[in-house]
Amino acid sequence: SQELEQSPQSLIVQEGKNLTINCTSSKTLYGLYWYKQKYGEGLIFLMMLQKGGEEKSHEKITAKLDEKKQQSSLHITASQPSHAGIYLCGAVDVTQGGSEKLVFGKGMKLTVNP
Amino acid sequence: GAGVSQSPRYKVAKRGQDVALRCDPISGHVSLFWYQQALGQGPEFLTYFQNEAQLDKSGLPSDRFFAERPEGSVSTLKIQRTQQEDSAVYLCASSSTSARGNEQYFGPGTRLTVT
């Protein structure tokens, strides 16, 4: 079965600092999702990557999928308190019904101090 | 437009009680997923519906867990004879099609505490 390892497990940064979160898969990734979760809330979709070497950006967040499709990184530029939360990576896996389910890492808790 | 909604948001059950958790997906969404998220962990897949058909229930942890989606819209996850290890957040997600590459939209979850 596919496993995802996220690093670091938690991070505390000062507002304005840049940071990078990593997600490493035990198998080749056929699709990789990044979500953000705040306590007591559901998952907020950030980005989805499918192709080796793909890079996507939205506002101050950039996600990359390496050429070998086994590792993804999420980079936040000039962090703000609004970036605080738990970041989850999810790998696409195929259900018995032929559709997709997601296999998630344990998450990375980000704290941004003003 | 409304997103995925779940009810109740919080549920406290005594060990041995039955509970029912409801998910209202985005209108018209074909695919519906249930995930279980234990404290400090990522969500884990429980079951998948395509319209009213339950095509994958490989993630259900025991036969005490039962899910249905009789009319292809609202879904209910039922847990019989709850145990303490069932305490978790139960997340529902829906997707517009069953095709690959479609974003899954998540609801806020139901936090179940079994005492």
Side-chain angles (χ1 to χ4, degrees), chain A residues 78-108:
Chain A
S79 58
Q80 300 170 350
S82 61
H83 287 128
I86 297 171
Y87 288 82
L88 290 154
C89 62
V92 171
D93 197 0
V94 181
T95 68
Q96 293 176 3
S99 183
E100 294 179 344
K101 62 182 178 184
L102 295 176
V103 175
F104 286 93
K106 290 186 177 181
M108 196 289 290

Side-chain angles (χ1 to χ4, degrees), chain A residues 33 35 37 39-45 48 50 88 92 94-107, chain B residues 9-10 31 33 35 37 40-43 45 48 50 55-58 91 98 100-104 106-108 111:
Chain A
Y33 287 76
Y35 285 90
Q37 184 177 34
Y39 182 80
E41 298 180 16
L43 279 62
I44 300 168
F45 172 79
M48 191 264 284
Q50 287 186 303
L88 290 154
V92 171
V94 181
T95 68
Q96 293 176 3
S99 183
E100 294 179 344
K101 62 182 178 184
L102 295 176
V103 175
F104 286 93
K106 290 186 177 181
Chain B
R9 291 293 312 278
Y10 303 91
S31 295
F33 303 81
Y35 292 85
Q37 185 176 24
Q41 303 294 316
F45 171 80
Y48 162 66
Q50 183 177 323
L55 299 185
D56 190 336
K57 50 183 180 180
S58 61
L91 295 163
S98 58
R100 299 188 183 185
N102 274 284
E103 178 188 342
Q104 292 186 22
F106 281 79
R111 181 175 297 275

Side-chain angles (χ1 to χ4, degrees), chain B residues 20-89:
Chain B
L21 312 180
R22 177 187 169 107
C23 172
D24 283 82
I26 294 173
S27 178
H29 274 198
V30 167
S31 295
L32 186 146
F33 303 81
W34 282 99
Y35 292 85
Q36 179 190 58
Q37 185 176 24
L39 188 64
Q41 303 294 316
E44 291 190 358
F45 171 80
L46 293 177
T47 187
Y48 162 66
F49 289 86
Q50 183 177 323
N51 296 308
E52 70 279 2
Q54 188 176 19
L55 299 185
D56 190 336
K57 50 183 180 180
S58 61
L60 295 176
S62 77
D63 58 7
R64 296 185 296 104
F65 287 70
F66 171 76
E68 60 183 4
R69 193 187 186 197
E71 296 179 359
S73 55
V74 172
S75 177
T76 304
L77 177 67
K78 297 179 180 178
I79 309 174
Q80 297 176 325
R81 304 181 304 282
T82 52
Q83 303 294 315
Q84 283 193 320
E85 62 263 27
D86 299 336
S87 295
V89 175

